[in-house]
Amino acid sequence: MKEYNDQLMKFKITNDKLKMEIKLSDLAWFFRNSPDNVAPDVEHEFCRVRRGKNREFAEKVVKLLMDESPENENDVRWGHMLESAFEEIRESGANFLKYYDD
């Protein structure tokens, strides 16, 4: 098993699973500190998660991630998050990949 615990999102790789975990308070912090969360005065955040509402916020995030992607209705939003990483890996020539012409 391999663990990566040095960021807000924690990752754990076992023989057959990838587990991603984030504390609800960290998810709310990430939302609050998003570069896009800026009020018109440019000095404050536009909005934040109300105290005691982190679970409801997380449920909404998960529902949106499971929803169809705005770019392609045949895909889910979380799939597009992974596709970005997949594209970079395909172009990397990493030795763990077997390409069609191999």
XYZ file of all heavy atoms in Angstrom:
861
model
N 0.852 -1.175 0.000
C 0.000 0.000 0.000
C 0.898 1.239 0.000
O 1.939 1.282 0.648
C -0.904 -0.014 1.232
C -1.731 1.228 1.353
S -3.004 1.230 2.634
C -2.200 0.594 4.054
N 0.474 2.247 -0.749
C 1.202 3.514 -0.824
C 0.234 4.629 -0.451
O -0.910 4.633 -0.886
C 1.726 3.711 -2.247
C 2.519 4.938 -2.441
C 3.939 4.603 -2.787
C 4.668 5.921 -2.985
N 6.053 5.806 -3.005
N 0.692 5.551 0.386
C -0.153 6.665 0.819
C 0.528 7.990 0.499
O 1.743 8.112 0.594
C -0.427 6.584 2.322
C -1.273 5.399 2.709
C -1.691 5.429 4.174
O -1.908 6.531 4.711
O -1.797 4.344 4.766
N -0.314 8.964 0.104
C 0.141 10.325 -0.149
C -0.713 11.226 0.734
O -1.904 11.389 0.502
C -0.050 10.693 -1.625
C 0.709 9.782 -2.569
C 0.153 8.591 -3.018
C 1.981 10.123 -2.999
C 0.844 7.759 -3.887
C 2.686 9.301 -3.869
C 2.113 8.123 -4.302
O 2.804 7.300 -5.167
N -0.099 11.804 1.762
C -0.841 12.570 2.765
C -0.362 14.007 2.907
O -0.635 14.650 3.913
C -0.731 11.878 4.135
C -1.387 10.523 4.138
O -2.486 10.356 3.645
N -0.691 9.543 4.681
N 0.341 14.532 1.929
C 0.948 15.845 2.096
C 0.139 16.994 1.498
O 0.612 18.116 1.441
C 2.370 15.849 1.535
C 2.440 15.413 0.092
O 1.539 14.697 -0.364
O 3.412 15.784 -0.596
N -1.094 16.732 1.063
C -1.964 17.777 0.530
C -3.338 17.677 1.187
O -3.586 16.773 1.989
C -2.103 17.638 -0.989
C -0.804 17.825 -1.733
C -0.976 17.698 -3.232
O -2.048 17.393 -3.735
N 0.104 17.938 -3.959
N -4.233 18.600 0.831
C -5.599 18.543 1.382
C -6.275 17.226 1.039
O -6.946 16.626 1.871
C -6.451 19.691 0.845
C -6.133 21.093 1.329
C -7.086 22.096 0.686
C -6.215 21.192 2.835
N -6.123 16.788 -0.208
C -6.690 15.510 -0.639
C -5.672 14.426 -0.316
O -4.495 14.560 -0.648
C -6.975 15.537 -2.138
C -7.558 14.257 -2.690
S -9.325 14.067 -2.481
C -9.927 15.155 -3.748
N -6.115 13.397 0.368
C -5.255 12.271 0.728
C -5.520 11.139 -0.261
O -6.665 10.906 -0.661
C -5.549 11.768 2.144
C -5.599 12.848 3.208
C -4.298 13.534 3.399
C -4.402 14.542 4.521
N -3.624 15.702 4.353
N -4.462 10.433 -0.646
C -4.586 9.329 -1.588
C -3.999 8.074 -0.979
O -2.965 8.128 -0.316
C -3.838 9.650 -2.887
C -4.331 10.881 -3.578
C -3.764 12.118 -3.316
C -5.363 10.814 -4.493
C -4.219 13.266 -3.948
C -5.829 11.951 -5.132
C -5.251 13.176 -4.860
N -4.661 6.950 -1.235
C -4.166 5.657 -0.778
C -4.319 4.682 -1.943
O -5.393 4.570 -2.532
C -4.967 5.178 0.423
C -4.417 3.924 1.063
C -5.278 3.440 2.225
C -5.285 4.477 3.334
N -6.032 4.028 4.518
N -3.212 3.999 -2.282
C -3.233 3.012 -3.356
C -2.981 1.647 -2.742
O -1.958 1.435 -2.087
C -2.149 3.320 -4.407
C -2.369 4.710 -5.000
C -2.157 2.262 -5.503
C -1.232 5.196 -5.872
N -3.928 0.733 -2.943
C -3.761 -0.653 -2.509
C -3.537 -1.486 -3.765
O -3.375 -0.947 -4.854
C -5.003 -1.154 -1.746
O -6.118 -1.192 -2.645
C -5.329 -0.250 -0.558
N -3.558 -2.801 -3.638
C -3.370 -3.666 -4.809
C -4.428 -3.457 -5.876
O -4.154 -3.601 -7.070
C -3.349 -5.138 -4.390
C -2.050 -5.503 -3.718
O -1.030 -4.841 -3.909
N -2.071 -6.552 -2.922
N -5.649 -3.120 -5.461
C -6.726 -3.028 -6.455
C -7.627 -1.801 -6.307
O -8.676 -1.727 -6.945
C -7.573 -4.297 -6.426
C -8.267 -4.512 -5.085
O -7.909 -3.843 -4.109
O -9.175 -5.348 -5.040
N -7.215 -0.815 -5.493
C -8.063 0.364 -5.298
C -7.233 1.636 -5.184
O -6.121 1.623 -4.678
C -8.905 0.237 -4.023
C -9.966 -0.823 -4.098
C -10.792 -0.833 -2.833
C -11.814 -1.964 -2.920
N -12.618 -2.042 -1.719
N -7.844 2.717 -5.657
C -7.338 4.058 -5.414
C -8.386 4.738 -4.561
O -9.545 4.838 -4.958
C -7.152 4.829 -6.726
C -6.988 6.345 -6.596
C -5.722 6.706 -5.817
C -6.981 7.004 -7.962
N -8.000 5.190 -3.380
C -8.930 5.874 -2.486
C -8.504 7.329 -2.380
O -7.324 7.619 -2.142
C -8.947 5.220 -1.111
C -9.457 3.795 -1.135
C -9.462 3.188 0.243
C -9.981 1.766 0.187
N -10.118 1.196 1.526
N -9.467 8.221 -2.568
C -9.214 9.652 -2.438
C -10.088 10.154 -1.308
O -11.267 9.836 -1.255
C -9.547 10.372 -3.744
C -8.700 9.910 -4.901
S -9.004 10.790 -6.436
C -10.534 10.039 -6.967
N -9.503 10.929 -0.413
C -10.232 11.374 0.771
C -9.877 12.823 1.081
O -8.726 13.227 0.974
C -9.844 10.481 1.943
C -10.494 10.840 3.243
C -10.049 9.901 4.348
O -10.318 8.697 4.259
O -9.400 10.390 5.296
N -10.903 13.580 1.446
C -10.685 14.956 1.878
C -11.628 15.229 3.043
O -12.789 14.796 3.028
C -10.904 15.965 0.730
C -10.492 17.372 1.149
C -12.308 15.912 0.191
C -10.411 18.373 0.005
N -11.124 15.893 4.071
C -11.989 16.262 5.190
C -13.002 17.295 4.701
O -12.683 18.138 3.856
C -11.167 16.841 6.348
C -10.280 15.825 7.018
C -9.688 16.321 8.315
C -8.799 17.508 8.098
N -8.076 17.928 9.327
N -14.206 17.231 5.224
C -15.248 18.172 4.812
C -14.828 19.612 5.076
O -15.099 20.503 4.269
C -16.571 17.851 5.505
C -17.162 16.476 5.209
C -18.526 16.333 5.867
C -17.248 16.199 3.728
N -14.147 19.841 6.184
C -13.686 21.205 6.482
C -12.651 21.669 5.463
O -12.610 22.846 5.097
C -13.124 21.281 7.908
O -12.037 20.391 8.062
N -11.812 20.764 4.983
C -10.828 21.116 3.956
C -11.499 21.399 2.614
O -11.081 22.291 1.877
C -9.786 20.015 3.792
C -8.805 19.944 4.952
O -8.727 20.923 5.731
O -8.118 18.917 5.074
N -12.548 20.650 2.291
C -13.297 20.895 1.056
C -13.930 22.280 1.105
O -13.857 23.048 0.134
C -14.373 19.824 0.861
C -15.188 19.909 -0.420
C -14.313 19.704 -1.650
C -16.319 18.871 -0.380
N -14.510 22.646 2.243
C -15.099 23.976 2.406
C -14.026 25.060 2.341
O -14.239 26.120 1.747
C -15.864 24.050 3.734
N -12.850 24.797 2.914
C -11.743 25.748 2.851
C -11.301 25.942 1.407
O -11.060 27.070 0.961
C -10.568 25.249 3.696
C -9.394 26.167 3.665
C -9.133 27.187 4.523
C -8.326 26.164 2.712
N -7.967 27.826 4.155
C -7.443 27.215 3.041
C -8.026 25.373 1.600
C -6.293 27.490 2.313
C -6.880 25.664 0.868
C -6.028 26.702 1.226
N -11.194 24.847 0.666
C -10.778 24.895 -0.736
C -11.764 25.729 -1.550
O -11.375 26.534 -2.392
C -10.678 23.464 -1.272
C -9.889 23.327 -2.531
C -8.545 23.643 -2.568
C -10.491 22.847 -3.680
C -7.809 23.501 -3.740
C -9.769 22.712 -4.855
C -8.423 23.037 -4.885
N -13.059 25.551 -1.292
C -14.101 26.341 -1.959
C -13.937 27.826 -1.630
O -13.946 28.681 -2.515
C -15.482 25.837 -1.518
C -16.628 26.658 -2.032
C -17.044 26.546 -3.341
C -17.296 27.538 -1.195
C -18.108 27.306 -3.819
C -18.360 28.294 -1.658
C -18.766 28.174 -2.975
N -13.786 28.108 -0.356
C -13.673 29.510 0.097
C -12.456 30.193 -0.513
O -12.487 31.372 -0.842
C -13.598 29.557 1.621
C -13.521 30.965 2.165
C -13.546 30.967 3.664
N -13.467 32.338 4.171
C -13.359 32.644 5.425
N -13.335 31.685 6.341
N -13.288 33.898 5.797
N -11.367 29.449 -0.661
C -10.126 30.020 -1.168
C -9.909 29.812 -2.657
O -8.815 30.051 -3.167
C -8.946 29.458 -0.365
C -8.958 29.988 1.043
O -8.593 31.124 1.276
N -9.438 29.188 1.974
N -10.944 29.398 -3.365
C -10.868 29.234 -4.813
C -10.536 30.574 -5.464
O -11.087 31.609 -5.084
C -12.216 28.724 -5.339
O -12.286 28.872 -6.740
N -9.660 30.588 -6.448
C -9.327 31.841 -7.133
C -10.540 32.484 -7.815
O -10.542 33.690 -8.065
C -8.290 31.432 -8.179
C -7.869 30.064 -7.852
C -8.883 29.464 -6.945
N -11.573 31.700 -8.091
C -12.782 32.225 -8.733
C -13.803 32.757 -7.728
O -14.819 33.324 -8.120
C -13.446 31.149 -9.589
C -12.587 30.762 -10.777
O -11.833 31.621 -11.280
O -12.665 29.596 -11.199
N -13.558 32.571 -6.442
C -14.510 32.975 -5.405
C -14.176 34.388 -4.909
O -13.810 34.587 -3.756
C -14.487 31.967 -4.256
C -15.586 32.212 -3.247
O -16.613 32.814 -3.566
N -15.377 31.759 -2.036
N -14.318 35.361 -5.782
C -13.942 36.733 -5.453
C -15.157 37.647 -5.591
O -15.854 37.630 -6.600
C -12.810 37.233 -6.381
C -12.420 38.658 -6.049
C -11.612 36.309 -6.285
N -15.399 38.439 -4.554
C -16.501 39.402 -4.561
C -16.175 40.544 -5.533
O -15.009 40.760 -5.875
C -16.723 39.949 -3.151
N -17.200 41.288 -5.946
C -16.959 42.406 -6.864
C -15.943 43.430 -6.353
O -15.249 44.071 -7.153
C -18.342 43.041 -7.023
C -19.291 41.916 -6.779
C -18.623 41.057 -5.731
N -15.808 43.573 -5.030
C -14.824 44.533 -4.510
C -13.393 44.002 -4.591
O -12.439 44.696 -4.274
C -15.155 44.938 -3.080
C -14.970 43.805 -2.070
O -14.498 42.715 -2.439
O -15.315 44.024 -0.897
N -13.237 42.762 -4.997
C -11.958 42.080 -5.207
C -11.140 41.916 -3.916
O -10.007 41.489 -3.945
C -11.107 42.796 -6.303
C -9.894 41.994 -6.689
C -11.938 43.108 -7.527
N -11.716 42.242 -2.779
C -10.999 42.108 -1.517
C -11.563 41.005 -0.620
O -10.937 40.634 0.361
C -11.029 43.440 -0.758
C -10.239 44.524 -1.450
C -10.159 45.787 -0.621
O -10.251 45.708 0.611
O -10.013 46.870 -1.230
N -12.732 40.518 -0.929
C -13.388 39.508 -0.099
C -13.799 38.325 -0.966
O -13.859 38.433 -2.178
C -14.638 40.096 0.574
C -14.326 41.241 1.473
N -14.306 42.543 1.033
C -14.002 41.279 2.784
C -13.999 43.339 2.032
N -13.804 42.595 3.109
N -14.111 37.202 -0.287
C -14.644 36.074 -1.036
C -16.105 36.355 -1.386
O -16.801 37.076 -0.674
C -14.509 34.754 -0.272
C -15.420 34.596 0.903
C -14.782 34.998 2.213
O -13.635 35.453 2.243
O -15.468 34.858 3.233
N -16.549 35.790 -2.494
C -17.921 35.966 -2.952
C -18.899 35.274 -2.001
O -19.930 35.810 -1.654
C -18.058 35.411 -4.380
C -19.422 35.566 -4.968
C -19.895 36.812 -5.349
C -20.238 34.462 -5.138
C -21.153 36.966 -5.891
C -21.504 34.606 -5.678
C -21.966 35.853 -6.056
N -18.537 34.058 -1.582
C -19.386 33.328 -0.639
C -18.551 32.278 0.080
O -17.427 32.002 -0.303
C -20.577 32.687 -1.346
S -20.131 31.495 -2.627
N -19.138 31.700 1.123
C -18.494 30.630 1.873
C -19.567 29.675 2.372
O -20.752 30.002 2.377
C -17.672 31.171 3.023
C -18.511 31.826 4.110
C -17.712 32.255 5.295
N -16.987 33.480 4.991
C -16.309 34.174 5.873
N -16.231 33.773 7.112
N -15.703 35.276 5.542
N -19.156 28.498 2.798
C -20.075 27.507 3.343
C -20.448 27.946 4.758
O -19.580 28.280 5.566
C -19.435 26.102 3.355
C -20.388 25.071 3.952
C -19.015 25.698 1.943
N -21.735 27.945 5.053
C -22.204 28.322 6.402
C -21.681 27.345 7.448
O -21.524 26.161 7.167
C -23.721 28.340 6.458
C -24.367 29.417 5.648
C -25.897 29.309 5.797
N -26.555 30.195 4.879
C -26.975 31.414 5.186
N -26.807 31.884 6.409
N -27.570 32.169 4.280
N -21.453 27.841 8.629
C -21.004 27.004 9.745
C -22.016 25.874 9.965
O -23.224 26.097 9.985
C -20.869 27.847 11.011
C -20.359 27.044 12.197
C -20.055 27.903 13.383
N -18.783 28.592 13.103
C -18.569 29.888 13.296
N -19.517 30.654 13.785
N -17.406 30.428 13.023
N -21.512 24.657 10.116
C -22.363 23.494 10.355
C -23.000 22.908 9.095
O -23.789 21.978 9.187
N -22.651 23.434 7.919
C -23.266 22.979 6.660
C -22.268 22.276 5.738
O -22.550 22.083 4.555
C -23.894 24.167 5.918
C -24.984 24.867 6.697
C -26.182 23.972 6.856
C -27.336 24.714 7.523
N -28.521 23.891 7.640
N -21.103 21.879 6.263
C -20.094 21.229 5.427
C -20.590 19.940 4.791
O -20.267 19.640 3.644
C -18.820 20.944 6.231
C -18.032 22.193 6.512
O -18.306 23.264 5.969
N -17.038 22.074 7.384
N -21.391 19.172 5.524
C -21.895 17.908 4.973
C -22.839 18.167 3.804
O -22.755 17.509 2.772
C -22.577 17.087 6.058
C -23.035 15.740 5.539
C -23.736 14.928 6.614
N -24.318 13.768 6.023
C -23.943 12.525 6.306
N -23.009 12.307 7.194
N -24.532 11.521 5.704
N -23.755 19.118 3.966
C -24.674 19.448 2.874
C -23.900 19.942 1.652
O -24.228 19.598 0.518
C -25.668 20.516 3.319
C -26.695 20.022 4.311
C -27.613 21.145 4.766
O -28.146 21.872 3.906
O -27.771 21.293 5.994
N -22.880 20.752 1.891
C -22.037 21.243 0.810
C -21.352 20.083 0.092
O -21.366 19.994 -1.132
C -21.005 22.226 1.368
C -19.961 22.643 0.374
C -20.297 23.438 -0.711
C -18.642 22.247 0.527
C -19.327 23.826 -1.629
C -17.672 22.631 -0.380
C -18.021 23.424 -1.460
N -20.778 19.152 0.849
C -20.097 17.995 0.265
C -21.064 17.135 -0.540
O -20.706 16.637 -1.618
C -19.431 17.163 1.358
N -22.276 16.960 -0.044
C -23.280 16.182 -0.778
C -23.578 16.831 -2.131
O -23.705 16.144 -3.142
C -24.547 16.031 0.043
C -24.391 15.080 1.218
C -25.591 15.058 2.161
O -26.588 15.772 1.907
O -25.513 14.335 3.168
N -23.658 18.153 -2.156
C -23.909 18.866 -3.415
C -22.724 18.710 -4.367
O -22.913 18.487 -5.569
C -24.177 20.352 -3.142
C -24.497 21.140 -4.377
C -25.769 20.654 -5.046
C -26.149 21.547 -6.210
N -27.363 21.109 -6.888
N -21.507 18.795 -3.846
C -20.322 18.604 -4.674
C -20.336 17.216 -5.303
O -20.120 17.056 -6.509
C -19.021 18.824 -3.855
C -17.795 18.375 -4.634
C -18.879 20.285 -3.449
N -20.625 16.193 -4.503
C -20.647 14.817 -5.014
C -21.734 14.654 -6.079
O -21.496 14.057 -7.133
C -20.833 13.803 -3.865
C -21.120 12.410 -4.402
C -19.601 13.798 -2.980
N -22.920 15.192 -5.828
C -24.002 15.086 -6.816
C -23.599 15.745 -8.135
O -23.871 15.210 -9.208
C -25.287 15.700 -6.274
C -25.946 14.840 -5.225
C -27.201 15.489 -4.681
C -27.785 14.633 -3.570
N -28.939 15.255 -2.934
N -22.934 16.893 -8.056
C -22.495 17.564 -9.280
C -21.399 16.769 -9.984
O -21.391 16.677 -11.215
C -22.004 18.979 -8.969
C -23.105 19.987 -8.684
C -22.526 21.295 -8.151
C -23.938 20.253 -9.933
N -20.475 16.187 -9.224
C -19.420 15.375 -9.837
C -19.986 14.139 -10.527
O -19.447 13.681 -11.538
C -18.384 14.960 -8.793
C -17.457 16.062 -8.306
C -16.613 15.562 -7.137
C -16.581 16.583 -9.423
N -21.083 13.607 -9.998
C -21.711 12.419 -10.580
C -22.647 12.764 -11.736
O -23.048 11.886 -12.490
C -22.481 11.658 -9.494
C -21.574 11.049 -8.441
S -22.476 10.331 -7.053
C -23.510 9.139 -7.867
N -22.957 14.049 -11.898
C -23.875 14.507 -12.934
C -23.181 14.503 -14.291
O -21.958 14.470 -14.383
C -24.340 15.925 -12.582
C -25.698 16.259 -13.169
O -26.311 15.396 -13.824
O -26.138 17.396 -12.968
N -23.985 14.588 -15.346
C -23.398 14.613 -16.684
C -22.569 15.872 -16.876
O -22.846 16.928 -16.315
C -24.467 14.502 -17.759
C -25.393 15.672 -17.868
C -26.507 15.454 -18.873
O -26.955 14.317 -19.061
O -26.938 16.454 -19.459
N -21.553 15.728 -17.668
C -20.634 16.828 -17.922
C -21.265 17.853 -18.856
O -21.936 17.480 -19.819
C -19.365 16.275 -18.561
O -18.580 17.306 -19.068
N -21.041 19.139 -18.603
C -21.541 20.158 -19.529
C -20.898 20.049 -20.912
O -21.498 20.424 -21.907
C -21.155 21.485 -18.869
C -20.756 21.167 -17.487
C -20.391 19.722 -17.442
N -19.671 19.510 -20.974
C -18.974 19.371 -22.249
C -19.479 18.196 -23.075
O -19.429 18.219 -24.288
C -17.460 19.194 -22.039
C -16.758 20.412 -21.483
C -16.762 20.437 -19.966
O -16.925 19.371 -19.324
O -16.625 21.536 -19.401
N -19.931 17.129 -22.396
C -20.364 15.921 -23.101
C -21.374 15.190 -22.225
O -21.005 14.640 -21.192
C -19.150 15.031 -23.399
C -19.519 13.802 -24.189
O -20.673 13.397 -24.263
N -18.521 13.178 -24.781
N -22.612 15.143 -22.648
C -23.666 14.542 -21.816
C -23.510 13.039 -21.635
O -24.191 12.438 -20.814
C -25.038 14.881 -22.384
C -25.299 14.311 -23.760
C -26.602 14.791 -24.360
O -26.964 15.954 -24.144
O -27.251 13.978 -25.039
N -22.604 12.413 -22.376
C -22.369 10.977 -22.210
C -21.299 10.694 -21.155
O -20.989 9.546 -20.888
C -21.951 10.351 -23.548
C -23.082 10.396 -24.553
O -24.241 10.174 -24.217
N -22.746 10.722 -25.786
N -20.729 11.734 -20.596
C -19.692 11.601 -19.574
C -20.159 12.246 -18.273
O -21.016 13.118 -18.277
C -18.413 12.315 -20.007
C -17.752 11.653 -21.204
O -17.922 10.447 -21.391
O -17.048 12.372 -21.942
N -19.538 11.819 -17.181
C -19.784 12.464 -15.889
C -18.665 13.463 -15.623
O -17.576 13.365 -16.181
C -19.872 11.431 -14.741
C -21.139 10.603 -14.850
C -18.643 10.545 -14.703
N -18.944 14.432 -14.754
C -17.964 15.488 -14.484
C -16.655 14.946 -13.923
O -15.581 15.412 -14.287
C -18.544 16.512 -13.515
C -19.626 17.339 -14.132
C -20.198 18.283 -13.101
N -21.330 19.001 -13.653
C -21.505 20.304 -13.526
N -20.652 21.020 -12.852
N -22.557 20.877 -14.053
N -16.714 13.971 -13.015
C -15.482 13.467 -12.430
C -14.619 12.787 -13.485
O -13.400 12.741 -13.378
C -15.711 12.566 -11.226
C -16.477 11.303 -11.469
C -17.799 11.094 -11.222
C -15.978 10.073 -11.983
N -18.149 9.810 -11.564
C -17.039 9.163 -12.036
C -14.725 9.649 -12.409
C -16.902 7.854 -12.507
C -14.578 8.342 -12.870
C -15.664 7.473 -12.913
N -15.243 12.285 -14.545
C -14.497 11.671 -15.634
C -13.607 12.673 -16.346
O -12.481 12.360 -16.737
N -14.093 13.890 -16.495
C -13.291 14.926 -17.148
C -12.099 15.322 -16.287
O -11.037 15.654 -16.813
C -14.153 16.148 -17.475
C -14.968 15.936 -18.698
N -14.504 16.225 -19.951
C -16.203 15.426 -18.871
C -15.418 15.916 -20.849
N -16.454 15.423 -20.210
N -12.273 15.271 -14.987
C -11.161 15.553 -14.077
C -10.034 14.536 -14.326
O -8.865 14.908 -14.437
C -11.644 15.470 -12.632
C -10.580 15.622 -11.586
S -11.232 15.445 -9.913
C -11.706 13.722 -9.887
N -10.394 13.267 -14.454
C -9.397 12.226 -14.697
C -8.839 12.295 -16.113
O -7.659 12.019 -16.333
C -10.001 10.847 -14.431
C -10.314 10.533 -12.969
C -11.055 9.208 -12.867
C -9.055 10.508 -12.137
N -9.665 12.643 -17.092
C -9.217 12.707 -18.482
C -8.031 13.640 -18.660
O -7.142 13.374 -19.461
C -10.358 13.131 -19.409
C -11.270 12.006 -19.813
C -10.554 10.878 -20.555
O -9.603 11.117 -21.323
O -10.951 9.721 -20.341
N -8.014 14.731 -17.927
C -6.897 15.666 -18.007
C -5.596 14.974 -17.600
O -4.563 15.117 -18.269
C -7.179 16.869 -17.107
O -6.076 17.728 -17.086
N -5.639 14.214 -16.524
C -4.461 13.466 -16.070
C -4.108 12.368 -17.074
O -2.923 12.166 -17.393
C -4.709 12.869 -14.688
N -5.124 11.666 -17.597
C -4.886 10.591 -18.564
C -4.171 11.118 -19.812
O -3.252 10.481 -20.331
C -6.191 9.925 -18.981
C -6.890 9.157 -17.892
C -8.208 8.775 -18.056
C -6.254 8.823 -16.708
C -8.872 8.065 -17.076
C -6.917 8.116 -15.707
C -8.225 7.733 -15.901
N -4.595 12.283 -20.296
C -3.984 12.864 -21.497
C -2.495 13.126 -21.270
O -1.654 12.806 -22.111
C -4.690 14.159 -21.880
C -4.125 14.804 -23.119
C -4.846 16.069 -23.515
O -5.827 16.465 -22.845
O -4.423 16.677 -24.509
N -2.178 13.685 -20.117
C -0.779 13.958 -19.799
C 0.027 12.667 -19.710
O 1.173 12.599 -20.183
C -0.703 14.724 -18.473
C 0.387 15.742 -18.447
C 0.306 16.645 -17.231
O -0.718 17.323 -17.040
O 1.300 16.659 -16.480
N -0.562 11.635 -19.133
C 0.126 10.348 -19.005
C 0.350 9.723 -20.378
O 1.439 9.227 -20.676
C -0.663 9.396 -18.084
C -0.620 9.916 -16.649
C -0.120 7.974 -18.162
C -1.581 9.230 -15.702
N -0.674 9.751 -21.244
C -0.534 9.184 -22.596
C 0.610 9.841 -23.356
O 1.351 9.188 -24.085
C -1.828 9.350 -23.391
C -2.882 8.320 -23.105
C -4.022 8.380 -24.110
N -4.718 9.663 -24.107
C -5.785 9.947 -23.348
N -6.272 9.049 -22.520
N -6.360 11.134 -23.408
N 0.762 11.144 -23.188
C 1.787 11.898 -23.908
C 3.164 11.804 -23.257
O 4.154 12.240 -23.834
C 1.354 13.358 -24.032
C 0.121 13.530 -24.896
C -0.442 14.943 -24.886
O 0.110 15.815 -24.171
O -1.432 15.172 -25.595
N 3.244 11.218 -22.081
C 4.500 11.192 -21.326
C 5.480 10.132 -21.804
O 6.677 10.239 -21.556
C 4.211 10.954 -19.843
O 3.827 9.603 -19.626
N 4.991 9.080 -22.445
C 5.863 7.976 -22.833
C 6.334 7.156 -21.648
O 7.375 6.509 -21.707
N 5.565 7.161 -20.564
C 5.948 6.435 -19.341
C 6.165 4.961 -19.636
O 5.466 4.367 -20.469
C 4.873 6.607 -18.275
N 7.133 4.356 -18.950
C 7.476 2.960 -19.224
C 6.419 1.967 -18.757
O 6.499 0.797 -19.088
C 8.860 2.617 -18.654
C 8.901 2.696 -17.154
O 7.916 3.012 -16.497
N 10.064 2.428 -16.594
N 5.422 2.395 -18.005
C 4.349 1.481 -17.608
C 3.233 1.414 -18.655
O 2.269 0.683 -18.488
C 3.769 1.829 -16.227
C 3.259 3.240 -16.106
C 2.019 3.600 -16.612
C 4.022 4.203 -15.472
C 1.545 4.899 -16.493
C 3.556 5.502 -15.350
C 2.315 5.853 -15.865
N 3.370 2.153 -19.758
C 2.364 2.144 -20.829
C 2.838 1.250 -21.965
O 4.025 1.203 -22.295
C 2.143 3.558 -21.373
C 1.581 4.596 -20.408
C 1.514 5.954 -21.094
C 0.215 4.182 -19.903
N 1.888 0.566 -22.580
C 2.149 -0.199 -23.791
C 1.374 0.484 -24.900
O 0.154 0.551 -24.870
C 1.706 -1.652 -23.652
C 1.989 -2.470 -24.903
C 1.609 -3.908 -24.707
C 1.914 -4.817 -25.859
N 2.152 -4.263 -27.148
N 2.082 1.009 -25.870
C 1.454 1.733 -26.956
C 1.089 0.786 -28.087
O 1.643 -0.311 -28.203
C 2.391 2.844 -27.462
C 2.527 3.964 -26.470
C 3.518 3.935 -25.497
C 1.640 5.026 -26.469
C 3.640 4.948 -24.565
C 1.752 6.046 -25.542
C 2.760 6.002 -24.597
O 2.858 7.006 -23.670
N 0.185 1.195 -28.930
C -0.345 0.371 -30.025
C 0.763 -0.174 -30.915
O 0.707 -1.313 -31.335
C -1.342 1.180 -30.855
C -1.918 0.422 -32.024
C -2.842 -0.597 -31.820
C -1.524 0.711 -33.319
C -3.370 -1.317 -32.875
C -2.045 0.012 -34.390
C -2.966 -1.002 -34.175
O -3.470 -1.703 -35.225
N 1.767 0.601 -31.203
C 2.828 0.167 -32.116
C 3.959 -0.593 -31.415
O 4.950 -0.917 -32.029
C 3.402 1.353 -32.884
C 4.009 2.408 -31.965
O 3.668 2.429 -30.764
O 4.811 3.205 -32.462
N 3.797 -0.909 -30.128
C 4.832 -1.658 -29.384
C 4.852 -3.107 -29.793
O 3.924 -3.781 -29.993
C 4.592 -1.569 -27.873
C 4.986 -0.204 -27.324
O 5.541 0.604 -28.071
O 4.703 0.046 -26.139
